[in-house]
Amino acid sequence: MSAPFKKLALIGIGLIGSSIALAARRYGLVDAIAIATRKSETLDEARALELGDVYTLDAAEAVRGADLVILCVPVGAYESVMRAIAPALAPGAIFSDVGSVKGFVHKTLAPMVPKGVSFIPGHPLAGTEHSGPKAGFAELFVGRWCVLTPDAEARSVDVEKLTKFWRGMGSQVETMDPAHHDMVLAITSHIPHLVAYNIVGTVADLEADTQSEVIKFSASGFRDFTRIAASDPVMWRDVFLTNRDAVLEMLGRFSEDLSVLQRAVRTGDGDALEAMFTRTRAIRRSVIDAGQETAAPDFGRPHQSDSDPTPVSAVRDHGGGDDA
Amino acid sequence: MSAPFKKLALIGIGLIGSSIALAARRYGLVDAIAIATRKSETLDEARALELGDVYTLDAAEAVRGADLVILCVPVGAYESVMRAIAPALAPGAIFSDVGSVKGFVHKTLAPMVPKGVSFIPGHPLAGTEHSGPKAGFAELFVGRWCVLTPDAEARSVDVEKLTKFWRGMGSQVETMDPAHHDMVLAITSHIPHLVAYNIVGTVADLEADTQSEVIKFSASGFRDFTRIAASDPVMWRDVFLTNRDAVLEMLGRFSEDLSVLQRAVRTGDGDALEAMFTRTRAIRRSVIDAGQETAAPDFGRPHQSDSDPTPVSAVRDHGGGDDA
């Protein structure tokens, strides 16, 4: 029996791209994989890892004849990559990506997608703190959500086909409006990351002696913010540049709420503090009731590609590889 | 050979108190343990778990004849508990606690400590998201820091004795000035918790449909903030009421820095964002170099008392039990 897709083209082969390559191969979802990168060293790494069948520095060449094309480069590189590959996109193909923001992707790419190509951006909510082709592993998407935000012109049969592709790699799939995706991810992922970067930045400015003690006692909470804040700077720069409105909206609410808490601390309003700290427990219960709590390692935790055969539950939003 | 301490009195028997009881017994650090609580149900739980040798609702009775007394109640209850036990504190005894703040503890209790009693407040940097006598386990302190902030009048031989007690339960021990402890903990623990409570609170105010999707996709980061924000509300209320100055100082720096990041997002200053996201990596490297990164579960992760025989590395600052 032939695979659902004849040729998968992966443009960019960082953590996400290499994990797709490994998973699509393992689960028999594609016949052949073409890999394109911008840097030749990255391509050499991918070749040494035997991630694909064809390796090229010419993205258009990888795309030619592919029935599934997935952009796995930082969102900031999309426009220039698209200019190179658009003429090579074949009618009947599915064109997707793995970026952490979706409104910007639609706005930027949709006008350049050729007629007859189904444009179905995607966002696998999976990642680790590591990046590059070596960081990938086939189980990365198992038990994780993948959100698809199909263009209005995309064929529904292709949406179904791409849904099966992600399910085949172990994901749960949800279809969503791009703007709504961006608002939900702003509060579930982007603001938590911004806050983590910010706390670590605050520590970076402390006096040297205090800083060394902060590091010594980092296990009381701070350590985990440092892990989050070790994520790929280019990817996160692009997230904040391209999801600006949703991030600023949610950041505004966050800052307002923080001012209220700050005032309660300043005025010694114990009742207000206790009330705030108690009501957050209801949200916690909802997370547990929704089956979103697991016994596996968490936020910012590295996945282990070879030591843990159980469904992977370590989670951090990580939409793109770090090289094209 | 007799144990280093004849009689340990634990006032309060929540997560920390019950873990001390189990660890002190297991490692032969005390001959007898007296447990006092405010509520009789908690005392019954402690008795059913066989945590001590003597159980009483009268804290002074527990303290009488004890050569080591450790307060394990929320910091907000210290003053009233101290009024009850001060007359029962015997000359030659060591008087300590496990609260998350130390400046307040010195200011409040030191004037009430009888002559001849060595006042050596402590803070084990260990905890889980669970509370109560059932939550305790003997390995809680293994590999974790315990900070001691001895009063100027405390006998140095007693500081050494208490240091050995905590080392005997597996802790690393550091002696520190109370004000400095409070400043370091404000940024490593208190601000991270305040921010986590705040993000969860912001979500609690979202429209119902967005909120349900936030919960569904909570694994992209938000989930772990909900775990932190499920910590004991009374304990955290007391932390923010009693470490106000250090928290406001660090929160001020945090907010200033966040404004700078917010402006960079608003103006689309990619260079500033990338620079900020890159410089935080140096701090991350320091944490790893300091041996503070582990492969064990982390921030807000529940410990397992019976399934993990390896040194316990899950960490959250949790200074007090939740009952007296």
Side-chain angles (χ1 to χ4, degrees):
Chain A
M1 206 179 96
S2 73
F5 291 97
K6 287 199 315 288
K7 180 182 174 184
L8 164 65
L10 294 169
I11 314 303
I13 196 76
L15 168 68
I16 301 289
S18 59
S19 296
I20 293 176
L22 292 165
R25 175 82 76 204
R26 176 185 294 184
Y27 301 115
L29 302 170
V30 299
D31 285 330
I33 300 175
I35 293 169
T37 65
R38 185 171 52 85
K39 292 190 213 149
S40 57
E41 309 89 81
T42 317
L43 201 62
D44 290 343
E45 271 191 77
R47 192 184 284 116
L49 293 162
E50 301 185 4
L51 295 174
D53 303 289
V54 176
Y55 306 88
T56 173
L57 293 171
D58 179 354
E61 186 190 321
V63 164
R64 217 158 281 134
D67 47 354
L68 176 57
V69 176
I70 306 181
L71 283 190
C72 303
V73 301
V75 171
Y78 277 21
E79 201 173 340
S80 67
V81 170
M82 188 61 179
R83 243 179 263 123
I85 65 170
L89 279 167
I94 295 175
F95 176 49
S96 188
D97 80 317
V98 295
S100 306
V101 299
K102 297 271 71 88
F104 172 86
V105 169
H106 278 267
K107 213 178 75 186
T108 309
L109 298 188
M112 303 166 80
V113 176
K115 277 276 171 209
V117 171
S118 280
F119 181 42
I120 312 170
H123 178 203
L125 277 69
T128 76
E129 74 171 303
H130 303 296
S131 45
K134 284 196 189 72
F137 53 101
E139 305 83 0
L140 179 60
F141 309 111
V142 174
R144 307 265 48 97
W145 285 100
C146 180
V147 177
L148 300 180
T149 59
D151 183 75
E153 306 284 316
R155 291 178 295 271
S156 57
V157 62
D158 288 340
V159 175
E160 190 49 39
K161 223 177 147 190
L162 189 60
T163 298
K164 281 187 180 153
F165 177 80
W166 280 101
R167 288 207 183 116
M169 295 193 292
S171 284
Q172 295 176 278
V173 179
E174 174 109 348
T175 298
M176 206 184 274
D177 171 75
H180 193 62
H181 165 278
D182 287 355
M183 193 60 84
V184 169
L185 268 291
I187 191 73
T188 53
S189 173
H190 306 170
I191 299 297
H193 277 81
L194 196 69
V195 160
Y197 275 118
N198 195 63
I199 287 189
V200 178
T202 301
V203 166
D205 288 335
L206 289 176
E207 305 70 22
D209 61 329
T210 304
Q211 195 180 111
S212 71
E213 271 158 356
V214 166
I215 284 158
K216 194 171 192 174
F217 302 120
S218 58
S220 357
F222 178 70
R223 175 183 66 188
D224 305 278
F225 285 78
T226 69
R227 193 181 302 119
I228 301 162
S231 303
D232 181 31
V234 171
M235 180 199 131
W236 282 100
R237 178 199 67 191
D238 289 354
V239 164
F240 292 108
L241 290 177
T242 57
N243 196 24
R244 190 182 66 169
D245 293 347
V247 165
L248 290 177
E249 163 66 26
M250 287 301 174
L251 194 54
R253 297 182 187 211
F254 172 85
S255 296
E256 273 176 32
D257 293 345
L258 193 60
S259 296
V260 173
L261 265 181
Q262 182 167 359
R263 174 184 291 268
V265 172
R266 190 181 298 282
T267 61
D269 188 344
D271 291 343
L273 290 171
E274 192 180 341
M276 175 60 124
F277 299 165
T278 302
R279 84 194 252 271
T280 52
R281 293 192 146 183
I283 298 282
R284 172 73 182 153
R285 272 193 300 274
S286 306
V287 168
I288 292 169
D289 293 347
Q292 289 300 306
E293 178 58 299
T294 71
D298 37 289
F299 199 14
R301 266 274 138 216
H303 291 260
Q304 294 301 325
S305 58
D306 49 5
S307 67
D308 184 2
T310 58
V312 172
S313 303
V315 170
R316 201 162 37 74
D317 180 38
H318 197 301
D322 57 354
D323 186 82
Chain B
M1 205 179 98
S2 72
F5 291 98
K6 287 199 316 288
K7 179 182 174 184
L8 165 65
L10 294 169
I11 314 303
I13 196 76
L15 167 69
I16 300 291
S18 58
S19 296
I20 292 175
L22 292 165
R25 175 83 74 203
R26 176 184 294 182
Y27 300 115
L29 304 171
V30 299
D31 284 330
I33 300 175
I35 293 170
T37 65
R38 185 171 52 85
K39 293 190 213 150
S40 58
E41 308 91 78
T42 315
L43 201 62
D44 291 343
E45 271 191 77
R47 192 184 283 115
L49 293 162
E50 302 184 1
L51 295 175
D53 303 289
V54 175
Y55 305 89
T56 174
L57 294 171
D58 179 354
E61 186 190 320
V63 164
R64 216 159 280 133
D67 48 354
L68 176 58
V69 176
I70 307 182
L71 282 191
C72 303
V73 301
V75 172
Y78 277 21
E79 201 172 341
S80 68
V81 169
M82 188 60 179
R83 244 180 264 123
I85 66 170
L89 279 167
I94 295 176
F95 176 48
S96 188
D97 80 318
V98 295
S100 306
V101 299
K102 299 271 68 90
F104 173 87
V105 169
H106 279 266
K107 212 177 75 185
T108 309
L109 299 188
M112 303 165 80
V113 175
K115 277 275 170 211
V117 171
S118 279
F119 181 40
I120 312 170
H123 178 203
L125 277 68
T128 76
E129 73 172 304
H130 303 297
S131 46
K134 284 197 190 71
F137 53 102
E139 303 84 0
L140 179 61
F141 309 110
V142 175
R144 306 264 50 96
W145 285 99
C146 180
V147 177
L148 300 181
T149 60
D151 183 75
E153 306 285 315
R155 290 179 295 271
S156 58
V157 62
D158 288 340
V159 175
E160 190 49 40
K161 223 178 148 191
L162 189 59
T163 298
K164 281 188 181 153
F165 177 79
W166 280 101
R167 287 205 184 120
M169 297 193 290
S171 284
Q172 297 176 276
V173 179
E174 174 107 351
T175 297
M176 206 184 274
D177 171 74
H180 193 62
H181 165 279
D182 288 355
M183 193 59 86
V184 170
L185 268 290
I187 191 72
T188 54
S189 172
H190 306 168
I191 298 297
H193 277 81
L194 196 70
V195 161
Y197 275 118
N198 195 62
I199 287 190
V200 179
T202 301
V203 167
D205 288 335
L206 289 177
E207 304 71 22
D209 60 330
T210 304
Q211 194 180 111
S212 71
E213 271 159 356
V214 165
I215 285 158
K216 195 170 190 175
F217 300 121
S218 57
S220 357
F222 179 71
R223 176 182 65 188
D224 304 278
F225 285 76
T226 69
R227 192 181 302 120
I228 302 162
S231 304
D232 182 29
V234 171
M235 180 200 131
W236 282 101
R237 177 200 67 191
D238 289 354
V239 165
F240 293 109
L241 290 178
T242 57
N243 196 23
R244 192 182 66 169
D245 293 347
V247 165
L248 289 177
E249 163 66 25
M250 287 300 174
L251 193 55
R253 297 183 187 210
F254 172 85
S255 296
E256 273 175 32
D257 293 345
L258 193 60
S259 296
V260 174
L261 264 182
Q262 181 168 2
R263 173 184 291 268
V265 171
R266 189 182 298 283
T267 62
D269 189 344
D271 292 342
L273 290 172
E274 192 180 341
M276 175 61 123
F277 299 164
T278 302
R279 85 194 251 270
T280 52
R281 293 191 146 183
I283 298 281
R284 171 73 181 155
R285 271 193 300 276
S286 307
V287 167
I288 292 169
D289 293 347
Q292 289 301 305
E293 177 58 297
T294 71
D298 37 290
F299 198 14
R301 267 275 136 213
H303 290 262
Q304 294 302 325
S305 59
D306 48 5
S307 68
D308 185 1
T310 58
V312 172
S313 303
V315 171
R316 200 160 38 71
D317 180 37
H318 197 302
D322 56 355
D323 185 83

